[in-house]
Amino acid sequence: QVQLQESGPGLVKPSETLSLTCTVSGGSISSSYWSWIRQPPGRGLEWIGLVSESGFKKYNPSLRSRVVISVETSKNQFSLNLSSVTAADTAVYYCARDEGAGYFDNWGQGTLVTVSS
Amino acid sequence: QSVLTQPPSASGTPGQRVTISCSGGSSNIGSNTVSWYRQLPGTAPKLLIYNFNQRPSGVPDRFSGSKSGTSASLAINGLQSEDEAAYYCAEWSDSLNGYVFGAGTMVTVL
């Protein structure tokens, strides 16, 4: 059973870079696509982007200028970097697996990131 | 940024049937598969339906999905108190070249 776990700072200052890591256990990161999805408090879900082990990447057009998603195969991890953050980036950030069939079958538990000085 | 439209709320009494619609723009729903997720308060979303009407193992058969034209629907038969949650539809958007979610429907069990 594949499990995903997000990790990273829970507080980021405005204008700085938000960095999160998702660790995949119980399966290999070498298959599937791996996404980041976020949810501002009290609001809906927003897809941020995805990466595959081969380096294939897609980003949400609304965030593309600030987002980098990368994969570290040796550690079975993938990461999110979101630059120039503002309070609007405060959200619970989830990592999720997509096996290329158009849906997310596995989610991490989520981690709250607050942007505040 | 939702390009998939869902009603903000739905409700029913225990045992009733509740349906939630998910309608898209011109390039959504019809060309790509729709999935549905249930999010209980304070927890991560969980896959409920994929490929419009397929259930992952472990999801009760009282949850069903369907597609009609450019809309998809989720039906909950035999509504139970534990079904009180937010429900989201999602699809790959060819026009945005990425995934899009509906804004979510909050289901209340009266």
Side-chain angles (χ1 to χ4, degrees):
Chain A
Q1 175 75 354
V2 172
Q3 292 188 314
L4 289 76
Q5 178 68 59
E6 305 88 351
S7 59
L11 181 65
V12 180
K13 288 182 168 55
S15 80
E16 295 190 344
T17 296
L18 179 160
S19 296
L20 296 174
T21 296
C22 182
T23 300
V24 179
S25 59
S28 173
I29 203 168
S30 296
S31 59
S32 308
Y33 297 89
W34 305 93
S35 277
W36 286 98
I37 297 159
R38 70 180 183 178
Q39 184 173 36
R43 299 183 63 183
L45 301 167
E46 179 181 33
W47 177 75
I48 299 170
L50 63 77
V51 67
S52 73
E53 184 267 345
S54 66
F56 179 83
K57 299 179 184 182
K58 290 287 185 184
Y59 297 133
N60 186 323
S62 70
L63 298 169
R64 182 178 291 131
S65 64
R66 300 193 291 131
V67 171
V68 176
I69 298 176
S70 57
V71 62
E72 189 156 4
T73 307
S74 63
K75 294 184 178 180
N76 234 34
Q77 294 176 334
F78 63 105
S79 62
L80 167 70
N81 281 287
L82 180 65
S83 62
S84 305
V85 297
T86 69
D89 295 309
T90 293
V92 175
Y93 285 77
Y94 297 101
C95 55
R97 182 181 76 168
D98 157 21
E99 291 206 284
Y103 55 89
F104 305 104
D105 65 342
N106 254 292
W107 297 65
Q109 65 184 27
T111 186
L112 174 63
V113 179
T114 301
V115 178
S116 175
S117 55
Chain B
Q1 196 204 355
S2 300
V3 295
L4 299 178
T5 301
Q6 297 180 235
S9 63
S11 62
T13 57
Q16 276 191 329
R17 172 184 170 98
V18 168
T19 60
I20 303 168
S21 61
C22 175
S23 59
S26 58
S27 63
N28 293 107
I29 304 186
S31 56
N32 293 314
T33 179
V34 166
S35 53
W36 290 91
Y37 304 86
R38 178 167 79 167
Q39 186 176 33
L40 298 170
T43 68
K46 178 186 173 183
L47 179 65
L48 205 58
I49 296 286
Y50 64 96
N51 291 352
F52 292 105
N53 58 13
Q54 302 298 301
R55 284 186 308 276
S57 62
V59 174
D61 60 5
R62 57 195 186 82
F63 292 95
S64 63
S66 63
K67 170 195 165 185
S68 177
T70 58
S71 292
S73 294
L74 172 71
I76 310 174
N77 291 293
L79 194 65
Q80 300 180 5
S81 58
E82 56 261 38
D83 297 329
E84 196 157 277
Y87 293 80
Y88 295 90
C89 61
E91 190 195 42
W92 179 268
S93 167
D94 291 329
S95 60
L96 295 180
N97 207 15
Y99 280 101
V100 291
F101 286 93
T105 299
M106 187 65 212
V107 169
T108 302
V109 182
L110 302 171

